[in-house]
């Protein structure tokens, strides 16, 4: 079977999620009798974010996921004596015959039973990629068998081929799932080439380097965090020390102001593209963060004409035993000037038109969606907005189409999912654009509060697509579901949003308006243009 794979673009929000995602669930997956095509995660995660506790908690949880191997912690360095002796014999052979070709050398290794054997395509593939790695070593070092590192490299590659690659090929079918390898920290020469070997075989590799950059292949994606941390260790238990919001914010602000003028004036980021990243929070932090300005949230960053805004994307299932406290929290969030409450579903119309022509016309010469072409399209409805806001909306559309975040329907192709995402983003409510026009990216974060129970309609796929667009654009989203029933989970993977379970589930639990209700919220709902019927 022909195997084709290419590197999947990932970022600081989704790299860990993509690493645990089966290849069959990733974009552009194709499986026929003749071939399998999939997107591979190959990423160097550099540095450490300001919220170190949350980061190391994420790494610890990643280590618990099925199919993930923290290779830096579990590297098996054992080798049977007879295999070691046979390898020593092969090493002495090439010292005497330094002009021996790599093809013949690998054939000798095979004859000595030093390479695992298979009854499928991997019999040939493993050997071809082994030759490729040895060729790369020669290209990098300028010599082959006589280099001082060659003996150690040969010994380690053979050890780890038997101790790791062979078990992985027996565990994973390599058609719907592949090994997900995590390496934490610096690499020796042998480890460097072994990870390259794994990448060449089509395995997922996440190289996490808290104190340096380590791009080991040209196609490797890069996730870059703002600080470097020496002597970091991979977490073998949940982190105990908590990083306070104030401490993280203080460090972040210092970095931002140090990199700019030392002062961020109102609307100083208006020309920047807004990009929301989802915060991981506790239930008690939701209200605290909801009232915080974007500038002081952990993870706020201004870089390369893009402003990264940490946002809430949270579902709260159930009700606390103290009902008064539960409703007080909802009412405080809804009462914020920049908050909008949605109580009826669906709130967004489904765009059922065939927009294939518009999608094709928005493609650039490289075959990818182009911001400039989107902005010049006759269907573009936001021309009255500031240029920076328009580019933010178009860039968010492109990100969602290139890496769709909606779940695929049964029988839905990747292209069909992209077209659906594109179509829904085309008809984003005009008033959302007006909301963004009033959004100073360093100040209060606009938020959508949804209250969904089984008596006020059903959240639709179009609703979910709209919420993803708002999340990409840097808006807070908090969904209350007192019955704890599935709604957004039907359309969006749970790994993409926070989920908090409260004390008990309540059915037919109607929304309770505060005793004193400002008309401002009603006016704002009408301004936003969400459906109410």
């Amino acid at each position: 079977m022909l195997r084709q794979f290419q590197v999947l673009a990932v970022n600081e929000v989704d790299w860990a999620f993509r690493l645990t995602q089966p290849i069959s669930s990733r974009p552009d997956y194709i499986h026929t009798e003749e071939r399998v095509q999939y997107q591979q995660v190959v990423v160097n995660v550099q540095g450490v974010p300001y919220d170190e506790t949350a980061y190391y908690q994420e790494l610890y949880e990643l280590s618990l996921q099925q199919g993930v191997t923290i290779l830096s912690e579990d590297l098996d360095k054992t080798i049977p004596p007879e295999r070691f002796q046979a390898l020593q014999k092969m090493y002495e052979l090439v010292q005497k015959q330094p002009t021996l070709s790599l093809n013949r050398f690998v054939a000798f290794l095979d004859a000595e039973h030093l390479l695992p054997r298979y009854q499928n395509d991997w019999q040939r593939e493993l050997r071809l990629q082994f030759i490729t790695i040895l060729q790369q070593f020669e290209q990098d070092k300028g010599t082959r068998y006589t280099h001082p590192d060659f003996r150690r490299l040969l010994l380690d590659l053979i050890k780890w081929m038997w101790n790791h690659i062979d078990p992985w090929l027996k565990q994973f079918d390599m058609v719907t799932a592949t090994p997900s390898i995590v390496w934490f920290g610096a690499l020796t020469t042998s480890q460097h080439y072994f990870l390259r070997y794994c990448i060449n075989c089509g395995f997922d590799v996440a190289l996490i380097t808290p104190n340096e950059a380590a791009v080991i292949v040209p196609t490797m994606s890069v996730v870059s965090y703002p600080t470097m941390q020496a002597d970091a260790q991979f977490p073998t238990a949940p982190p105990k020390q908590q990083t306070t919001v104030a401490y993280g914010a203080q460090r972040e602000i210092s970095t931002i102001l140090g990199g700019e003028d030392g002062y961020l004036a109102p609307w100083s980021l208006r020309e920047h593209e807004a990009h929301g990243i989802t915060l991981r929070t506790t239930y008690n932090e939701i209200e605290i963060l909801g009232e915080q300005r974007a500038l002081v949230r952990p993870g706020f960053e201004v870089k390369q004409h893009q402003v990264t805004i940490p946002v809430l994307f949270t579902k709260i299932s159930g009700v606390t035993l103290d009902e008064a406290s539960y409703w007080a929290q909802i009412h405080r969030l809804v009462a914020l000037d920049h908050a909008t409450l949605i109580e009826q579903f669906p709130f967004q119309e489904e765009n059922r038109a065939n927009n294939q022509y518009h999608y094709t016309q928005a493609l650039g010469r490289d075959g990818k969606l182009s911001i400039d072409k989107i902005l010049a399209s006759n269907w573009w409805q936001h021309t009255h907005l500031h240029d920076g806001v328009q580019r933010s909306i178009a860039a968010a559309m492109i990100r969602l189409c290139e890496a769709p975040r909606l779940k695929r329907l049964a029988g839905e192709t990747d292209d069909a999912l992209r077209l659906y995402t594109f179509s829904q983003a085309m008809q984003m409510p005009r008033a959302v654009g007006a909301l963004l026009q009033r959004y100073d990216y360093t100040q209060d974060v606009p938020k959508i509060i949804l209250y969904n129970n089984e008596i006020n309609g059903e959240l639709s796929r179009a609703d979910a697509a709209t919420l993803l667009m708002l999340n990409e654009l840097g808006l807070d989203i908090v969904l209350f579901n007192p019955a704890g029933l599935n709604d957004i989970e039907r359309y969006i993977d749970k790994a993409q949003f926070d989920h908090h379970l409260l004390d008990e589930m309540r059915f037919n639990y109607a929304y309770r308006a505060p005793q004193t209700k400002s008309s401002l919220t009603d006016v704002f709902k009408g301004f936003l243009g969400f459906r109410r019927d």
Side-chain angles (χ1 to χ4, degrees):
M1 176 183 290
L2 177 64
R3 299 173 63 251
Q4 299 173 312
F5 44 86
Q6 60 185 17
V7 173
L8 176 65
V10 295
N11 55 43
E12 67 273 15
V13 176
D14 66 359
W15 71 267
F17 162 70
R18 291 296 191 185
L19 192 68
T20 60
Q21 186 181 37
I23 57 174
S24 56
S25 300
R26 296 176 188 171
D28 298 326
Y29 175 79
I30 299 174
H31 179 209
T32 66
E33 292 184 0
E34 293 80 21
R35 72 181 179 115
V36 59
Q37 172 186 300
Y38 62 90
Q39 301 235 28
Q40 175 191 24
V41 176
V42 180
V43 60
N44 177 208
V45 182
Q46 304 170 2
V48 176
Y50 290 107
D51 191 347
E52 297 171 11
T53 302
Y55 176 63
Y56 286 113
Q57 177 68 32
E58 181 181 29
L59 293 184
Y60 173 72
E61 292 175 357
L62 179 63
S63 71
L64 304 180
Q65 297 297 312
Q66 186 177 6
V68 174
T69 299
I70 313 300
L71 190 62
S72 52
E73 312 303 305
D74 299 325
L75 193 63
D76 187 347
K77 301 178 181 180
T78 60
I79 184 171
E82 61 275 13
R83 190 173 295 152
F84 175 81
Q85 293 167 3
L87 269 174
Q88 183 63 27
K89 174 183 172 183
M90 290 294 98
Y91 176 74
E92 293 172 354
L93 171 68
V94 293
Q95 296 310 301
K96 296 175 182 177
Q97 301 182 41
T99 59
L100 187 70
S101 72
L102 285 174
N103 284 2
R104 291 198 63 196
F105 176 57
V106 172
F108 283 135
L109 293 176
D110 214 1
E112 293 290 329
H113 301 281
L114 288 170
L115 304 177
R117 296 188 175 183
Y118 305 95
Q119 300 300 317
N120 53 33
D121 295 340
W122 282 103
Q123 174 71 14
R124 178 174 179 271
E125 183 70 14
L126 209 64
R127 286 149 181 77
L128 285 177
Q129 297 306 333
F130 187 65
I131 291 172
T132 299
I133 287 300
L134 294 181
Q135 288 172 336
Q136 186 64 53
F137 176 81
E138 181 180 7
Q139 180 179 330
D140 294 342
K141 305 299 183 181
T143 185
R144 187 186 302 167
Y145 308 123
T146 57
H147 192 276
D149 291 338
F150 178 77
R151 182 178 181 277
R152 170 52 60 184
L153 175 70
L154 176 63
L155 179 63
D156 287 340
L157 289 181
I158 297 298
K159 278 193 304 189
W160 300 333
M161 194 185 306
W162 282 97
N163 296 343
H164 294 289
I165 291 182
D166 185 50
W168 287 332
L169 291 179
K170 294 173 180 175
Q171 177 184 356
F172 297 93
D173 62 10
M174 301 302 297
V175 172
T176 61
T178 64
S180 295
I181 303 162
V182 175
W183 185 277
F184 187 92
L187 297 166
T188 66
T189 297
S190 295
Q191 293 159 358
H192 170 99
Y193 286 101
F194 181 67
L195 289 186
R196 295 190 68 157
Y197 189 15
C198 293
I199 292 169
N200 289 354
C201 289
F203 306 161
D204 291 336
V205 172
L207 175 55
I208 303 173
T209 51
N211 196 38
E212 62 180 345
V215 178
I216 60 175
V217 293
T219 56
M220 199 169 215
S221 296
V222 173
V223 170
S224 181
Y225 290 119
T227 65
M228 293 294 169
Q229 188 177 83
D231 303 322
Q233 301 293 322
F234 190 88
T236 56
K240 295 180 180 179
Q241 183 180 1
Q242 297 296 316
T243 303
T244 66
V245 172
Y247 176 72
Q250 181 183 19
R251 295 178 62 195
E252 183 71 0
I253 291 171
S254 298
T255 301
I256 295 166
L257 298 184
E260 302 276 343
D261 300 328
Y263 172 66
L264 285 175
W267 305 108
S268 57
L269 303 181
R270 199 175 191 189
E271 298 292 343
H272 288 59
E273 291 179 9
H275 184 188
I277 58 169
T278 301
L279 288 164
R280 299 297 176 184
T281 70
T282 65
Y283 173 69
N284 292 330
E285 287 177 319
I286 293 172
E287 188 174 348
I288 297 172
L289 288 166
E291 296 180 355
Q292 279 188 334
R293 293 181 301 155
L295 178 66
V296 297
R297 290 185 177 187
F300 181 89
E301 184 178 26
V302 181
K303 186 178 182 181
Q304 296 178 348
H305 212 65
Q306 182 180 87
V307 53
T308 300
I309 306 169
V311 296
L312 300 171
F313 192 4
T314 301
K315 176 176 178 177
I316 300 170
S317 293
V319 178
T320 57
L321 293 177
D322 183 354
E323 292 187 43
S325 173
Y326 175 77
W327 285 111
Q329 182 193 45
I330 295 177
H331 294 157
R332 281 192 294 269
L333 288 172
V334 171
L336 296 172
D337 290 341
H338 46 278
T340 299
L341 174 65
I342 298 175
E343 302 174 61
Q344 298 294 327
F345 301 89
F347 62 81
Q348 176 65 10
E349 297 281 358
E350 190 98 18
N351 187 345
R352 301 186 182 279
N354 184 348
N355 292 296
Q356 182 65 60
Y357 173 79
H358 294 312
Y359 184 92
T360 303
Q361 290 298 305
L363 298 176
R365 292 183 178 179
D366 58 358
K368 297 181 179 180
L369 288 170
S370 162
I371 289 180
D372 291 334
K373 287 206 166 189
I374 289 175
L375 298 183
S377 299
N378 58 10
W379 51 264
W380 184 249
Q381 58 180 333
H382 305 296
T383 54
H384 59 293
L385 300 178
H386 188 273
D387 292 349
V389 176
Q390 292 192 55
R391 295 190 70 83
S392 287
I393 297 172
M397 288 181 65
I398 292 173
R399 290 195 299 272
L400 285 174
C401 291
E402 288 183 344
R405 295 170 60 188
L406 281 173
K407 289 182 178 179
R408 280 184 296 181
L409 300 177
E412 186 177 38
T413 65
D414 288 330
D415 287 341
L417 178 56
R418 288 194 184 92
L419 184 59
Y420 178 86
T421 300
F422 180 83
S423 297
Q424 293 309 128
M426 283 177 63
Q427 67 164 26
M428 186 183 71
R430 289 174 61 92
V432 172
L435 183 66
L436 292 170
Q437 180 79 1
R438 297 162 49 193
Y439 184 10
D440 184 342
Y441 300 137
T442 65
Q443 301 303 309
D444 292 331
V445 178
K447 47 187 50 59
I448 307 298
I449 313 298
L450 305 102
Y451 187 84
N452 185 25
N453 56 33
E454 67 274 21
I455 59 175
N456 61 347
E458 186 173 307
L459 189 142
S460 69
R461 196 179 192 218
D463 292 343
T466 300
L467 293 178
L468 286 173
M469 186 72 175
L470 298 179
N471 173 251
E472 285 284 339
L473 286 166
L475 275 66
D476 285 339
I477 298 167
V478 183
L479 167 62
F480 291 89
N481 187 319
L485 299 174
N486 280 352
D487 45 25
I488 196 171
E489 299 93 334
R490 297 167 57 191
Y491 311 111
I492 302 174
D493 193 281
K494 294 179 182 179
Q496 298 196 52
F497 59 90
D498 255 358
H499 190 196
H500 302 284
L501 292 173
L502 302 187
D503 300 322
E504 56 184 14
M505 303 300 141
R506 293 286 188 90
F507 295 88
N508 300 313
Y509 200 59
Y511 181 78
R512 298 180 187 175
Q515 291 182 349
T516 303
K517 184 175 180 181
S518 170
S519 61
L520 177 62
T521 300
D522 289 332
V523 172
F524 194 70
K525 289 175 191 170
F527 166 73
L528 191 58
F530 286 125
R531 277 189 53 190
R532 301 287 303 198
D533 52 27

